[in-house]
Amino acid sequence: MMNWYTTFHNHTEAQRTLVLTDGERADIAEVVFGLRRWDPHEVHPDIDFIRCRSAAGHFPERVVQALDEFRSRPDRFEDGVLIIRNLPMEADPGPTPSRFDVPINRTTTVAENVIICLATLHGEPFVPSYEQGGRQPGLVAPVQGEEELPINGSSKGTFAFHIENAIDGDCSPDGISLLTIRPDQNGEAATTTASLYHALQLLSAPALAILRKPLFEVSKPDSFVGDIDPMIVPVLAGSDRYPTLRYRAYGFRPLTDLAAEALHELDVALISVKREDRSVRGDYILVNNKICVHGRTSFRAYWDERQASNRYLLRVYSTLNWSAVRDCCYPNTHMLVPTQLVRGALGRLVA
Ligand SMILES: O=C(O)CCC(=O)C(=O)O
Ligand SMILES: [Fe+2]
């Protein structure tokens, strides 16, 4: 039996990347193909996470071990990132959708089942209800007219560093899964990441102390639909040994001069430890959202006949604390409602 730890911990790049053999790829295709046949006429918007989880248990051992270790021993992944390459998906995934033109109710694809299966090996998958109508998994594709906004539909503009769902600490995901179906046409787009584990070493003691205080206002990201009040939060939480990070390069306001200085230090530190991963078709990236910011470089998207070949990814969240996140979802779904709405007006929203 191959032990994934000994295979992958020899040098930095290998530490983060698992390249599947074609045999392993075929094994996953077979499991996922079986999953599709079980329910070929799926019309319910919830992909069946329970079936995905039991199918994922039959994925190659190296994959199961890698995700399990990412979950249980995050300190071994100082970059906060695990990459798995050479995953199977349909030979022809169809044209790249603009985010809103794909119906929610229809049969799931190989790629969709692959990403949900992988996410179940990390934790419990879920999605925000307030983006793309709660589509599971969500789409990441450039959107015309949103080229320069700080959202994942952007292209020409850099998508700056962020913790996913930073406004919603209780229900922010532990993992962000991204599966590339189609890279951008010029090979320009890279997913950027920066780990707190690396950045911490560059921060001064006064900045660290300030970042632990609730001196920062986080407002809702532009992709959220609905009204959510800004919140006052600390940037760093958790123990000194295992600190966690809550930060966004946009929509995040320091409330004092000292807070502004500390945030600037953090910003500089994160940028100086930034990594860029240019994914190709079949690449999966799992980001530890508690210690690692992520974003994306700028790239060219097209709105003519080349639109069908624009960049195209799938995305799903995962949590290690489903009992907390479940409380932030619509009842009996894996669709997140912003915490403030859950606590305020969930009854009205569901009715
Ligand atoms: O497009 C990417 O590589 C990252 C997208 C992203 O940050 C997101 O969808 O949350
Ligand atoms: Fe993101």
Side-chain angles (χ1 to χ4, degrees), residues 159 162 164 294 315:
F159 190 14
H162 56 283
E164 205 69 29
H294 69 279
R315 184 189 77 175

Side-chain angles (χ1 to χ4, degrees), residues 24-344:
E24 288 170 321
R25 181 175 184 277
D27 289 347
I28 293 178
E30 198 177 317
V31 171
V32 169
F33 181 69
L35 193 55
R36 290 185 83 202
R37 273 186 297 137
W38 293 343
D39 204 351
H41 303 296
E42 176 71 77
V43 291
H44 192 272
D46 267 335
I47 290 176
D48 191 330
F49 292 151
I50 294 172
R51 279 188 193 165
C52 282
R53 173 169 285 117
S54 50
H58 299 286
F59 275 20
E61 191 147 8
R62 291 199 308 159
V63 174
V64 177
Q65 281 185 10
L67 281 145
D68 188 55
E69 187 160 4
F70 190 84
R71 173 186 62 77
S72 62
R73 312 187 81 159
D75 42 320
R76 284 195 175 163
F77 295 81
E78 289 188 349
D79 292 343
V81 172
L82 170 67
I83 296 175
I84 303 179
R85 312 192 83 159
N86 197 27
L87 285 156
M89 58 189 57
E90 15 285 296
D92 175 10
T96 298
S98 68
R99 265 187 315 169
F100 301 107
D101 65 6
V102 170
I104 291 169
N105 296 331
R106 49 116 190 79
T107 307
T108 56
T109 64
V110 170
E112 286 170 332
N113 281 320
V114 165
I115 190 174
I116 300 285
C117 284
L118 291 171
T120 66
L121 290 173
H122 176 251
E124 187 71 13
F126 66 107
V127 293
S129 67
Y130 38 85
E131 288 182 13
Q132 302 170 14
R135 191 181 191 286
Q136 306 179 77
L139 303 172
V140 180
V143 177
Q144 191 168 16
E146 299 187 353
E147 291 87 343
E148 307 221 36
L149 296 180
I151 58 174
N152 69 14
S154 65
S155 46
K156 197 169 165 198
T158 301
F159 190 14
F161 276 152
H162 56 283
I163 287 290
E164 205 69 29
N165 209 4
I167 194 165
D168 214 349
D170 293 350
C171 294
S172 73
D174 290 281
I176 313 299
S177 288
L178 293 165
L179 178 64
T180 297
I181 294 179
R182 183 176 282 132
D184 68 291
Q185 298 171 53
N186 303 294
E188 293 163 331
T191 302
T192 51
T193 49
S195 164
L196 176 64
Y197 287 172
H198 298 312
L200 272 181
Q201 294 157 22
L202 305 172
L203 295 175
S204 66
L208 280 172
I210 296 278
L211 291 170
R212 281 192 172 274
K213 297 194 170 145
L215 291 173
F216 306 87
E217 184 188 81
V218 54
S219 51
K220 78 175 182 97
D222 289 4
S223 57
F224 281 30
V225 176
D227 291 329
I228 304 171
D229 293 335
M231 287 174 72
I232 310 296
V233 299
V235 169
L236 298 181
S239 67
D240 285 341
R241 223 166 121 213
Y242 298 123
T244 59
L245 176 65
R246 192 179 196 180
Y247 173 59
R248 206 176 330 108
Y250 50 91
F252 205 89
R253 197 166 65 87
L255 298 178
T256 68
D257 288 349
L258 283 178
E261 279 169 31
L263 203 59
H264 179 67
E265 250 190 63
L266 176 69
D267 219 18
V268 171
L270 288 171
I271 286 168
S272 74
V273 300
K274 178 171 76 168
R275 307 203 53 125
E276 295 190 349
D277 288 291
R278 286 190 169 71
S279 299
V280 299
R281 172 188 159 87
D283 280 1
Y284 168 82
I285 300 189
L286 175 59
V287 180
N288 181 338
N289 193 52
K290 297 294 181 192
I291 61 139
C292 189
V293 286
H294 69 279
R296 193 213 63 242
T297 62
S298 61
F299 67 102
R300 272 169 286 174
Y302 299 98
W303 311 116
D304 48 25
E305 67 286 354
R306 292 169 290 181
Q307 176 169 354
S309 306
N310 274 342
R311 186 171 186 258
Y312 179 13
L313 279 68
L314 298 178
R315 184 189 77 175
V316 69
Y317 295 165
S318 50
T319 178
L320 307 185
N321 190 359
W322 178 234
S323 58
V325 172
R326 192 176 54 159
D327 208 31
C328 300
C329 287
Y330 284 110
N332 302 318
T333 76
H334 287 70
M335 288 195 290
L336 188 67
V337 187
T339 311
Q340 290 176 24
L341 298 186
V342 175
R343 304 220 167 113

